[in-house]
C-alpha cells in the first residue's frame, strides 16, 4: 500500500548516544515511521530482540499521548536483519492514565516482498505520575562488586562478527553464572550481570526494553549451545531508573519440547525493581 510522501519529522531523540541514534525513527506519515536497523546490535547475523523492542517503543512513544512504556508484548515472526525498515503504528485506545497502541516492523525480502518481522501491543503512561507506595517481597540479586565480574573483554578474543552487540554494552557477568564460558556449565538456568551502555548513557525506560534481553541466554548454563531465538517477549517497566549501572537477573525453571522461558528482573542503584520480563525462546537440542 503506498504511503504519504511527506510528513513532519519525528521530534529529536534524547541525547546523542549510540543507542539513541540507532533506535531513531523518522515519521513519514501519521503512524508510519522509517528507520534503519544497525548492524551494531546483532548476535551472529540476527538483530537483538531487545534492541528491536526499543525501536518500536520509540515509535509508539511518538504515536501515543503518553511518554513511557508500561507494558510491551512482542511476537517475533521472522528474523530481522540490519538495514532499512518501516514501523507502522495504530492507536488502539487513549485514556487519562494509559494509552494503548500496536506496532509492526516490516522489511523487504530480496525479491521485494514486504515481510512483517515483529508485532507489538503496548500500553503507555507517565512513570513520573505514579505514587511512591511500594509493597514487595522481591529482593535485588546478590551480585559481586562490578570489578569482580567479567565481560567479553576479559575472555578470549571472540569470533569476528559473532556478537557486535557486545561492543555496545557494559556487561559484567557474575562469575557464578559463567561456567558455560569455561566449558563447565552449572546446569542451573541462571544468568546475572551488571548492565549499562558502553558510551555511559544512563538508563531510561526505552533502554530497559533492551536490558531484559541483553545477557547471554540461560540455555548456556543449561549446557546448550547456539542461537536461542525469542518467540514472545513481554516487558513491564515499573519505574524510571536511577543513574548508574543496573543489575539484571534472569532465570529459567522449565525447558520442555525445545522451548524455555526466561524471567528477568532489572534493579537500579537505589535497589528498586525497575523492570520485569518474561520471554519464550526456542532452543536447539542435540
Amino acid at each position: 500500500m503506498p504511503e504519504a510522501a511527506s510528513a513532519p519529522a519525528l521530534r529529536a531523540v534524547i541525547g546523542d548516544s549510540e543507542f539513541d541514534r540507532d533506535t531513531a525513527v523518522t515519521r513519514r506519515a501519521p503512524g508510519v515511521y522509517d528507520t534503519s536497523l544497525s548492524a551494531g546490535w546483532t548476535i551472529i547475523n540476527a538483530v537483538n530482540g531487545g534492541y528491536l523492542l526499543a525501536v518500536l517503543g520509540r515509535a509508539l512513544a511518538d504515536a501515543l499521548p503518553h511518554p513511557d512504556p508500561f507494558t510491551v508484548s512482542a511476537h517475533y515472526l521472522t528474523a530481522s536483519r540490519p538495514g532499512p525498515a518501516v514501523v507502522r503504528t495504530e492507536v488502539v485506545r487513549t485514556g487519562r492514565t494509559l494509552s494503548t497502541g500496536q506496532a509492526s516492523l516490516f522489511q523487504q525480502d530480496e525479491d521485494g516482498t514486504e515481510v512483517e518481522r515483529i508485532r507489538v501491543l503496548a500500553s503507555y503512561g507517565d512513570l513520573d505520575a505514579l505514587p511512591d507506595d511500594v509493597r514487595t517481597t522481591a529482593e535485588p540479586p546478590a551480585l559481586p562488586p562490578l570489578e569482580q565480574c567479567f565481560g567479553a573483554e576479559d575472555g578470549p578474543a571472540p569470533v569476528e562478527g559473532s556478537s557486535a552487540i557486545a561492543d555496545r554494552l557494559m556487561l559484567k557477568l557474575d562469575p557464578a553464572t559463567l561456567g558455560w564460558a569455561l566449558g563447565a556449565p552449572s546446569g542451573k538456568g541462571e544468568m546475572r550481570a551488571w548492565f549499562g551502555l558502553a558510551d555511559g548513557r544512563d538508563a531510561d525506560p526505552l533502554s530497559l526494553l533492551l536490558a531484559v534481553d541483553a545477557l547471554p541466554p540461560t540455555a548456556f548454563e543449561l549446557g546448550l549451545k547456539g542461537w536461542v531465538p525469542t518467540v514472545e517477549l513481554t516487558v513491564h517497566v515499573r519505574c524510571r531508573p536511577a543513574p548508574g549501572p543496573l543489575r539484571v537477573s534472569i532465570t529459567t525453571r522449565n525447558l520442555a519440547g525445545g522451548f524455555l522461558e526466561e524471567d528477568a528482573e532489572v534493579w537500579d542503584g537505589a535497589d528498586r525493581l525497575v523492570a520485569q520480563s518474561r520471554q519464550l525462546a526456542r532452543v536447539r537440542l542435540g
Side-chain angles (χ1 to χ4, degrees):
M1 180 181 296
E3 313 288 1
S6 62
L10 175 61
R11 60 179 178 264
V13 296
I14 299 172
D16 190 35
S17 79
E18 190 170 33
F19 175 78
D20 291 323
R21 293 193 302 271
D22 290 348
T23 58
V25 295
T26 302
R27 191 190 307 127
R28 185 203 310 178
V32 181
Y33 301 84
D34 292 311
T35 190
S36 181
L37 302 181
S38 169
W41 302 88
T42 55
I43 300 173
I44 312 298
N45 296 316
V47 179
N48 171 262
Y51 163 72
L52 289 171
L53 212 56
V55 171
L56 275 77
R58 197 176 289 282
L60 281 167
D62 183 74
L64 296 171
H66 291 93
D68 302 316
F70 275 28
T71 177
V72 182
S73 294
H75 285 263
Y76 295 79
L77 309 177
T78 55
S80 300
R81 62 173 185 269
V86 176
V87 178
R88 296 192 178 93
T89 66
E90 177 186 344
V91 177
V92 177
R93 179 187 179 276
T94 61
R96 188 168 58 181
T97 58
L98 287 176
S99 54
T100 300
Q102 61 183 12
S104 292
L105 184 141
F106 298 85
Q107 289 186 308
Q108 286 192 347
D109 271 352
E110 293 180 358
D111 63 0
T113 302
E114 189 175 68
V115 177
E116 186 177 8
R117 304 293 194 196
I118 174 175
R119 183 178 296 189
V120 162
L121 183 66
S123 289
Y124 275 54
D126 184 354
L127 290 170
D128 295 329
L130 295 179
D132 293 331
D133 183 43
V134 176
R135 309 178 197 191
T136 182
T137 59
E139 296 182 356
L143 272 172
L146 194 149
E147 61 272 14
Q148 295 178 19
C149 295
F150 297 91
E153 67 278 7
D154 300 312
V159 178
E160 184 176 355
S162 63
S163 188
I165 192 174
D167 296 330
R168 319 271 86 75
L169 302 176
M170 188 290 295
L171 199 62
K172 293 288 189 176
L173 294 167
D174 183 344
T177 65
L178 264 178
W180 59 274
L182 305 174
S186 67
K188 300 178 181 178
E190 299 177 353
M191 201 67 64
R192 292 182 295 274
W194 292 92
F195 170 88
L197 294 170
D199 61 9
R201 177 199 188 275
D202 281 323
D204 67 357
L206 275 183
S207 66
L208 293 177
L209 303 182
L210 167 68
V212 299
D213 194 44
L215 274 59
T218 55
F220 288 2
E221 272 295 85
L222 292 173
L224 302 174
K225 298 179 180 180
W227 187 35
V228 184
T230 303
V231 176
E232 187 271 345
L233 171 61
T234 294
V235 185
H236 297 163
V237 177
R238 307 307 301 268
C239 64
R240 194 176 306 280
L246 303 170
R247 287 160 291 171
V248 183
S249 173
I250 305 179
T251 58
T252 292
R253 296 190 304 165
N254 189 56
L255 188 160
F259 292 85
L260 57 76
E261 90 290 344
E262 288 191 335
D263 290 318
E265 292 184 351
V266 184
W267 295 78
D268 70 2
D271 281 347
R272 298 180 305 169
L273 181 59
V274 296
Q276 300 164 278
S277 74
R278 166 166 281 199
Q279 72 168 279
L280 182 70
R282 183 160 47 89
V283 296
R284 183 176 62 188
L285 300 175

